[in-house]
Amino acid sequence: MLDTIIFATQIVVPYSEGRPLRGSEMNKLKVIENGAIGIKGGKITFVGTQEEAAHLQAKETIDGTGKLLSPGLVDPHTHLVFGGSREHELALKQQGVPYLEILAQGGGILSTVKATRETSEKALFEKGLFHLNRCLTYGVTTMEVKSGYGLDKETELKQLRVAKKLNEAHPIDLVSTFLGAHAIPENYKGRPDAFLEEMLSMLNEISNKGLAEFVDIFCETGVFTVEQSRNFLQKAKTAGFGVKIHADEIDPLGGTEMACEIGAISADHLVGASKEGVRMLGQSDTIAVLLPGTTFYLGKDQFAPARDMISSGAAVTLSTDFNPGSSPTENIQFIMNLAALRLKMTPEEIWNAVTVNAAYAIGRGDVAGSLLEGRSADLVLWDVPNYKYVPYHYGVNHVNKVWKSGKVVAGKGDMHANYTLSS
C-alpha cells in the first residue's frame, strides 16, 4: 500500500537521459493528462495516468482535480547568506547611477560585505531561514547558495558554515559554492592577484570540511579579468572543485568563451555574451544560467539572448539570483514570467529551465528536477489548470502544496513555512 497518491488534471514530467536538455530539446515537455503520482517511504513509486493507477491503494489520497502537479523547482544561482539589506541604493538606481559607480563609492557588494562581517553566525542562520522559508512557499525544493560577502577568510568560512547548517536544518536541499572572488576588498585595492591567492589558500580547508562543491568568480570590468578568472578557476578545478563563473553580466569581456574552454559546469548572467560566446555555448557542456530578474531590477533594456542561445544548441536554465543588491526576490515564479515576456522563452522551455536543466547546473541532475520512480518525492501542486498558466499569470503565488521527500512542507493558507533552529 502506498503512503500517498496524488491525482492532478495535468502532471509536468521533465525528463532527460543523463544530461541537460539542449537547444530544440528544451521545447519538448512530457505532460500527463489526468495523471497520478504514487509515494511510499518518501520516494516516487508510480508515475502515470489515473486510469493506470486505478488498482493502487494508498493511506492518503490527494484530489488535485483542476490542478497542475510538477517536480519541486530548482534555483541554481542565489546569494542566500548575507547581512543587512540595500534598500537605500534604490534611489541611486532610479537616478540612473550605474552599478559599477555605486560599487566604486563603497556601495553594492562592499556595503553587504561590511554588514555580513558584522553579523553573527547565529543571526545569519536565522536570516537565511527566513528567506529559505519564503523560497519553499514558491515551490523551490533544491537551490544553490554562494558565499562572497566576506572577502576575507573568516567571513567567507562563516557564510559557508551557515549554508551547511541551513542545509541540515531546512527541507530545501542546498548546494554550496565558494565565491570568495566576488569583489576586490579595500585592503587589496590595486592588488587583485594577491587577493585571489588568498582566496585560493582557503580551498584545502573548504574541501576538508565539506563546505562547498563549486568555486565561482566575478569576471567583469573593474573586478577580475578573463585571464585572472581562468587562472583562478583552473586552480580550483585542480583542487577538486567544480567551477562556475559570473560572466559577461555588464560588459562582453569573453568570460562566456573562457567558461566553455575550461569546462565550467555553468556560466551565469551572460547578458553581454558575444556571438562567439553564444556559439560556443551551443558546442560545449557548459550550461547557461540566465538571471532576468537582475536585468529587470537594474532597469536595463537588454536581456540575455536566450533565443540565440537555444538556437545555438545550448542548455539554458533560469534563476532568481536572489541577493540584496541587484535581485532582491525569492520569487522564482516571477522569473518564469520574465522569461516568457523578456527572454521570449516558450512555456515548455521555461519549465525545463527551472527543473531538469537547473538541477544539472548545480550537479543534481540525477536526483532533482524530474519525476521518476525511485527519486525523492519533491513535488509541487499548483492552483492552475495547466502548465502554460504559471508563466502567463504574473505577480501572485500559484502554489497549493509543496512536498519534500513525500512530506508536505508548505501549503496554501500557510504560505510562509516556519523552520527554526533546533536546540
Side-chain angles (χ1 to χ4, degrees):
M1 177 176 288
L2 300 176
D3 296 327
T4 305
I5 189 164
I6 307 169
F7 297 114
T9 295
Q10 253 189 16
I11 300 180
V12 169
V13 189
Y15 176 69
S16 66
E17 295 185 359
R19 60 175 179 79
L21 297 167
R22 310 186 62 85
S24 61
E25 295 174 334
M26 288 189 62
N27 203 37
K28 299 174 183 177
L29 184 68
K30 181 179 179 181
V31 178
I32 302 174
E33 302 290 346
N34 298 314
I37 295 283
I39 303 170
K40 185 175 179 63
K43 304 288 186 180
I44 297 171
T45 58
F46 174 84
V47 181
T49 65
Q50 293 178 24
E51 184 178 358
E52 292 167 338
H55 66 287
L56 298 176
Q57 294 184 329
K59 299 173 186 176
E60 176 189 38
T61 299
I62 305 294
D63 182 6
T65 301
K67 294 178 172 53
L68 172 74
L69 190 66
S70 80
L73 305 186
V74 180
D75 192 341
H77 181 129
T78 81
H79 302 255
L80 175 73
V81 180
F82 60 88
S85 60
R86 304 217 305 256
E87 64 274 12
H88 57 281
E89 290 180 12
L90 183 58
L92 295 175
K93 293 184 177 76
Q94 290 171 327
Q95 294 165 24
V97 179
Y99 174 73
L100 293 179
E101 185 174 327
I102 294 174
L103 183 64
Q105 295 174 9
I109 291 171
L110 296 180
S111 65
T112 299
V113 167
K114 183 175 185 294
T116 305
R117 288 177 177 178
E118 295 171 350
T119 303
S120 71
E121 196 160 324
K122 186 175 186 297
L124 286 174
F125 179 93
E126 292 172 346
K127 191 173 190 298
L129 275 181
F130 174 85
H131 295 301
L132 271 183
N133 288 338
R134 186 174 284 160
C135 293
L136 188 66
T137 65
Y138 283 114
V140 173
T141 56
T142 302
M143 64 188 285
E144 186 251 23
V145 52
K146 303 178 189 294
S147 66
Y149 291 128
L151 306 185
D152 61 23
K153 180 176 181 180
E154 179 183 353
T155 315
E156 289 292 323
L157 291 175
K158 178 172 68 172
Q159 283 189 272
L160 292 173
R161 286 195 303 269
V162 169
K164 186 173 184 178
K165 291 175 182 178
L166 287 168
N167 182 48
E168 294 166 350
H170 198 274
I172 294 180
D173 290 328
L174 298 181
V175 177
S176 287
T177 296
F178 173 51
L179 180 59
H182 197 191
I184 303 170
E186 293 289 342
N187 58 319
Y188 277 95
K189 284 277 184 163
R191 298 186 297 133
D193 291 330
F195 174 67
L196 291 177
E197 286 301 318
E198 180 181 341
M199 294 297 99
L200 287 170
S201 73
M202 297 171 58
L203 294 186
N204 282 342
E205 183 173 357
I206 291 169
S207 178
N208 292 338
K209 293 182 177 179
L211 294 177
E213 295 179 38
F214 297 99
V215 171
D216 197 346
I217 189 169
F218 189 13
C219 179
E220 188 55 71
T221 301
V223 194
F224 302 108
T225 68
V226 171
E227 285 310 309
Q228 287 170 332
S229 300
R230 183 195 302 273
N231 180 61
F232 183 81
L233 295 179
Q234 288 283 26
K235 289 181 178 179
K237 285 188 72 174
T238 300
F241 291 88
V243 296
K244 297 172 163 287
I245 182 171
H246 283 56
D248 301 329
E249 176 182 359
I250 300 170
D251 295 325
L253 300 185
T256 306
E257 293 92 320
M258 185 268 286
C260 296
E261 290 167 359
I262 69 170
I265 190 171
S266 74
D268 302 27
H269 285 289
L270 311 183
V271 177
S274 69
K275 290 183 179 180
E276 177 62 11
V278 170
R279 185 195 68 79
M280 290 180 67
L281 281 171
Q283 303 298 316
S284 77
D285 292 329
T286 298
I287 300 169
V289 178
L290 306 186
L291 312 168
T294 305
T295 308
F296 169 82
Y297 190 76
L298 292 177
K300 301 296 184 74
D301 294 324
Q302 179 185 343
F303 284 73
R307 287 261 51 92
D308 291 342
M309 292 175 183
I310 293 171
S311 295
S312 79
V316 172
T317 78
L318 296 164
S319 179
T320 59
D321 190 20
F322 172 58
N323 73 77
S326 61
S327 189
T329 183
E330 302 93 332
N331 187 351
I332 197 166
Q333 294 176 43
F334 179 58
I335 303 306
M336 296 169 74
N337 303 141
L338 286 177
L341 296 171
R342 303 308 301 268
L343 302 185
K344 308 302 180 184
M345 292 173 67
T346 68
E348 294 80 7
E349 291 166 346
I350 291 168
W351 277 102
N352 284 321
V354 297
T355 54
V356 61
N357 276 13
Y360 277 103
I362 55 174
R364 292 297 185 272
D366 58 341
V367 295
S370 297
L371 298 180
L372 298 174
E373 293 181 11
R375 288 204 180 181
S376 177
D378 300 349
L379 310 167
V380 181
L381 187 67
W382 304 81
D383 283 325
V384 301
N386 57 69
Y387 72 91
K388 296 181 179 180
Y389 196 92
V390 176
Y392 148 77
H393 186 160
Y394 79 99
V396 299
N397 190 347
H398 295 289
V399 168
N400 180 284
K401 285 184 179 65
V402 181
W403 286 262
K404 183 66 182 178
S405 299
K407 295 182 180 180
V408 174
V409 289
K412 194 173 183 178
D414 180 27
M415 289 314 294
H416 195 291
N418 185 25
Y419 290 87
T420 57
L421 178 60
S422 57
S423 58

